[in-house]
Amino acid sequence: MADDTALAFQHPEARSRAGGGAPIHDRISLRDHIVEVEIGAFQPERGRTQRICFNVVVEVDKPDTRADDVDRILSYDTITDAIAAELKAERINLLETLADRIAARILAAPQALRCFVRIEKLDRGPGALGVEIVRSAADRPVAADAAETPRPLIVLLSNDAIASPHLTGWLDQLAARLPVVLTVGAAQGAVPRSASPAAQRRIDLLAIEQNAWILAGRDRRCLVVNTRTELDWAMRHGQMTVWAPSKIVLDSPGAPSVRAGDAPALAAWFADRMQARALLAIGPDAPDTALPLVRADPAADRLPDSP
């Protein structure tokens, strides 16, 4: 497989010699495509961009070129769109993860047979640091039925709601409306200040997560989670959760501000990302959202009947 990967980026003549004259597939390729993006697992790579170079080769079914019909071939845009979509979806730590996701997107096209992806960081050392992978159409996972994806009710709890004597009763009522994900703002009290915007963002996120743990301490049904994998598992298994936002926010380009007063906007952004069925706000502040929105009075012991 290593030889296949190396040969994928060679001239067709070299591939033909290596194959002993056996038939080889047609290919389309993208060479030396450089994008400046924030990526990397190490702290010095956060909050700054670096140049990433992409080389992609896709083996394809031999098209019927007699019709000269662009709809019958695999477009070059399939490759560039796959790269752009994965870079936009979330901030990624590992080149291996990015390469695998790009290959999966490309292989979703019916014409694609095998995909070779080489990604290199150009600014991390004296040379190019990178990975190379090969994936085949046989590696494509079976797509899950979209109807099986849980659509949670997102609940925004104000600090007064967290401290309310009605909390246990509300959770009893919400337990009948699962899947439910609870969100909170920053804990009460002064949040430490930093002159560094990157440091301040993490401090603000930690203040929210402190509040998530305060809520968890009030009722054992409130399970604090911070990854999409944990959220999906909990929703599928009937577990109410409290969202700890650091990982998803830091890994998501375009995430909103996370200061204490921004809890409604953050909850609305998260609800949209989770494809929530509705958003329930218990407290004085309600987010601006296109989703169905229900307000609940924190002084009342009963929540609205819907959603």
Side-chain angles (χ1 to χ4, degrees), residues 189-210:
V191 175
R193 309 310 300 172
S194 170
S196 165
Q200 188 61 54
R201 196 175 195 215
R202 286 183 171 271
I203 291 169
D204 291 335
L205 284 165
L206 287 172
I208 295 173
E209 297 193 352
Q210 285 179 322

Side-chain angles (χ1 to χ4, degrees), residues 245-268:
S246 289
K247 177 171 175 51
I248 291 177
V249 168
L250 291 173
D251 288 350
S252 301
S257 174
V258 292
R259 293 188 299 272
D262 299 324
L266 185 61

Side-chain angles (χ1 to χ4, degrees), residues 9 54-59 74 78-87 92 95-119 131-141:
F9 299 98
F54 296 87
N55 283 274
V56 180
V57 174
V58 186
E59 291 183 347
L74 184 68
T78 301
I79 302 177
T80 55
D81 288 350
I83 293 170
E86 290 304 331
L87 291 177
I92 293 177
L95 293 183
E96 291 86 348
T97 301
L98 180 58
D100 188 69
R101 292 181 181 179
I102 289 170
R105 276 189 180 269
I106 293 170
L107 289 169
Q111 304 97 326
L113 301 175
R114 280 204 302 178
C115 184
F116 300 82
V117 181
R118 174 191 291 161
I119 309 179
V131 300
E132 295 179 359
I133 70 164
V134 56
R135 298 289 186 269
S136 71
D139 299 325
R140 288 192 294 236

